Amino acid sequence: MIARAVAAARRRNADRGARTPGAAPPVPADAVPSGVVPAGVVPADAATGCVVRLEDVHVRLGGRDVLRGVDVELTERRVGIVGANGSGKSTLARLLNGLVVPTAGRVLVDGLDTRRDGAAVRRRVGFVFTDPDAQIVMPTVAEDVAYSVRGVPASERDRIVRDALAARGLAHHADHPAHLLSGGQKQLLALTSVLAARPRLVVADEPTTLLDLRNTRRFAAELAALPQQVVLVSHDLTLMDAMDRVLVVDDGRVVADDAPGPAVAHYRRLVDEAAPASRRGAS
Amino acid sequence: MTPGTYRPGTSLVHRAPAGAKLAGLAGVSAVALAATSPGTVAAVVGAVAALYAVAGVGLRAAWAQVRPLRLVVPVLLAVQWLTLGPVPALVLTSRLVALVALAGLVLLTTRTSAVLAAIGRGLRPLARVGVDVGRLALVLSLAVRCVPVVTALAHRVRDACRARGRERDVRAYAVPLVVGGLRQADALGDALRARGLDD
Ligand SMILES: Nc1ncnc2c1ncn2[C@@H]1O[C@H](COP(=O)(O)OP(=O)(O)O)[C@@H](O)[C@H]1O
Ligand SMILES: [Mg+2]
């Protein structure tokens, strides 16, 4: 299982070619500041989000057209994505940090092409997955956060980790095995670890789906308070009210792109219309 | 409490370097396994008990380390008692319990990260023959992390089998366990990549 995880991570990196000098991005790939800033404290540029452009993106997976021509530019601080199970939301989210690359078209994050500059894109774009157990990679809480902090001396790293855990109320769990945390705490740890890498954009794919109401609120409040740009995929429509812009995905296409009110209303209509003749079933 | 779970503390045993503790464990194990005299084994048992006292982790934690042996030890003791006689039986089983307890104490008083770092240092010479020691250390960490995840998956699959009345169907147990494990491994691969394994 371990070998497979590492091999999977490696295999999918293999398609990243070297960057061609001709297509210089507007911002250098290694513009991530190397200065040491405690993770609890926000670096000055964190609030400066990314410009994400999807240009006529098609994604074909396992012989299926999962996304069919998505063309959007995301610059808002809070972008929501809603849609039915299997509509392509996760694939859309994964495009943003290059975990999935387009079959046709391209995805640019601050001018960096996710296909060629995957690693550089992932340094700017943090990703929170649905299942916290699948994204906590180290045995203990502190070690997991430390895995995100690179290129600083050990003592400095330990201080950054301590501050980051304190900021999310996890300080007294630092040396606990991650698997003993509650689901809500695990997801907070996942967020803490993502933030410790100091991304400028945080993409969260249904981060509260496995949490109870109280933990959902807690997690949503943490997300809302972030200075970073956030793209949030969720079935919890109440979370969409706080968004600046909401995309509705249906059958591989963005079918509505609007303020939360009208976008959610569109999504509800879509579901209502499909309901009577519902032969499609859950997917 | 699960065996081998680190318990923070400030005792001498906690503060001793991880490498020294691992080397000590290896040394004591070698001595104890070679020894058959009741005197040596009694000394090992006494030393382990003394180290537990110094570490101050408490009886409950000590019991948790040897608890997995509770079903094996009586059987072992009985068999050896009948075949070898009472003294060798007591010597052999107490040796086993003492070594398991000692290994447990090392894990109880040492952060996993320190254990892994010490192992990593021990493996460093392998770098000369082309082994990526950093990656090897990461794999060790992941392995430690995956134990509870896979255990939880196994429990879920077993419960699902039971809920559907398949108590002893090996296939109904093994197939979802393997598929679930592979899926989890893929998800972990994605998480590693999202967190910059490729940096
Ligand atoms: N690797 C893959 N291989 C084949 N089909 C896939 C793969 N990933 C996703 N799909 C399919 O693509 C569709 C959209 O998936 P996804 O983006 O996960 O949707 P959502 O997150 O909206 O539920 C689903 O029908 C899913 O089964
Ligand atoms: Mg999804």
Side-chain angles (χ1 to χ4, degrees):
Chain A
M1 167 170 169
I2 318 294
R4 188 176 156 108
V6 174
R10 202 180 229 175
R11 185 174 61 244
R12 289 168 199 162
N13 291 336
D15 57 355
R16 282 185 313 118
R19 217 171 75 224
T20 42
V27 185
D30 53 0
V32 177
S34 55
V36 176
V37 179
V41 178
V42 179
D45 61 346
T48 323
C50 299
V51 177
V52 179
R53 288 174 56 139
L54 287 84
E55 299 177 352
D56 193 24
V57 171
H58 293 252
V59 175
R60 201 177 164 79
L61 291 171
R64 219 172 151 271
D65 289 311
V66 178
L67 288 180
R68 304 182 293 155
V70 176
D71 223 335
V72 288
E73 178 168 295
L74 308 174
T75 52
E76 291 76 3
R77 264 190 82 237
R78 295 289 181 260
V79 177
I81 299 176
V82 296
N85 293 139
S87 56
K89 305 179 299 297
S90 293
T91 307
L92 180 53
R94 284 157 173 265
L95 279 169
L96 306 184
N97 73 341
L99 282 183
V100 170
V101 293
T103 313
R106 52 181 197 159
V107 178
L108 303 175
V109 176
D110 287 341
L112 298 166
D113 190 325
T114 58
R115 196 183 319 232
R116 284 196 320 256
D117 302 308
V121 167
R122 283 186 282 278
R123 252 174 272 144
R124 307 167 177 240
V125 182
F127 200 103
V128 182
F129 296 83
T130 309
D131 181 3
D133 268 324
Q135 59 191 313
I136 296 170
V137 300
M138 287 288 145
T140 67
V141 171
E143 288 165 296
D144 192 68
V145 180
Y147 181 70
S148 288
V149 184
R150 315 244 168 114
V152 298
S155 62
E156 191 58 40
R157 187 193 62 207
D158 292 347
R159 195 177 62 74
I160 293 173
V161 170
R162 253 200 322 277
D163 290 349
L165 288 174
R168 305 246 116 60
L170 292 170
H172 54 292
H173 291 298
D175 289 316
H176 292 178
H179 70 95
L180 294 184
L181 297 180
S182 74
Q185 286 170 331
K186 280 183 192 169
Q187 201 57 308
L188 280 180
L189 169 59
L191 179 64
T192 306
S193 293
V194 164
L195 293 174
R198 303 169 69 225
R200 286 162 58 181
L201 165 62
V202 176
V203 179
D205 184 8
E206 298 190 36
T208 62
T209 296
L210 300 178
L211 306 186
D212 65 20
L213 181 58
R214 194 165 136 257
N215 283 305
T216 294
R217 285 194 184 147
R218 167 89 206 272
F219 191 88
E222 294 281 349
L223 266 191
L226 293 184
Q228 279 95 343
Q229 186 181 8
V230 174
V231 173
L232 172 65
V233 178
S234 184
H235 290 299
D236 186 343
L237 298 179
T238 60
L239 299 182
M240 292 300 137
D241 295 337
M243 301 290 126
D244 300 317
R245 175 181 177 188
V246 174
L247 309 182
V248 181
V249 181
D250 186 46
D251 202 12
R253 287 201 175 92
V254 174
V255 295
D257 179 356
D258 214 325
V264 169
H266 185 110
Y267 178 47
R268 288 187 194 282
R269 262 200 314 280
L270 215 60
V271 175
D272 289 342
E273 281 161 17
S278 182
R279 289 275 163 75
R280 296 153 78 186
S283 46
Chain B
M1 195 186 132
T2 27
T5 306
Y6 173 67
R7 306 203 119 186
T10 54
S11 76
L12 207 61
V13 182
H14 282 87
R15 279 176 291 141
K21 282 188 270 192
L22 289 174
L25 175 62
V28 172
S29 301
V31 168
L33 289 178
T36 44
S37 80
T40 318
V41 173
V44 169
V45 170
V48 171
L51 285 171
Y52 263 92
V54 173
V57 287
L59 279 177
R60 252 173 58 92
W63 169 241
Q65 306 313 306
V66 293
R67 208 180 87 100
L69 295 176
R70 70 194 182 287
L71 301 177
V72 181
V73 162
V75 177
L76 216 57
L77 191 62
V79 169
Q80 287 171 341
W81 195 297
L82 293 176
T83 53
L84 304 171
V87 174
L90 281 173
V91 165
L92 293 175
T93 41
S94 47
R95 185 174 81 177
L96 173 71
V97 174
L99 288 184
V100 170
L102 188 61
L105 183 64
V106 170
L107 294 177
L108 267 176
T109 58
T110 321
R111 282 190 174 81
T112 318
S113 53
V115 174
L116 295 171
I119 293 174
R121 277 194 301 278
L123 295 175
R124 202 170 288 162
L126 289 179
R128 259 180 269 139
V129 294
V131 176
D132 184 342
V133 176
R135 191 159 296 242
L136 199 57
L138 172 66
V139 168
L140 287 175
S141 299
L142 286 173
V144 174
R145 161 69 190 133
C146 283
V147 171
V149 175
V150 173
T151 308
L153 175 66
H155 285 146
R156 278 203 306 275
V157 171
R158 196 197 52 201
D159 287 350
C161 289
R162 281 185 177 163
R164 300 178 62 179
R166 294 290 177 108
E167 302 282 338
R168 288 169 204 285
D169 184 340
V170 175
R171 228 167 55 112
Y173 181 70
V175 173
L177 187 61
V178 170
V179 171
L182 293 178
R183 193 171 290 156
Q184 198 85 32
D186 267 353
L188 190 61
D190 278 347
L192 285 169
R193 212 152 64 100
R195 292 181 63 183
L197 177 75
D198 43 5
D199 277 9

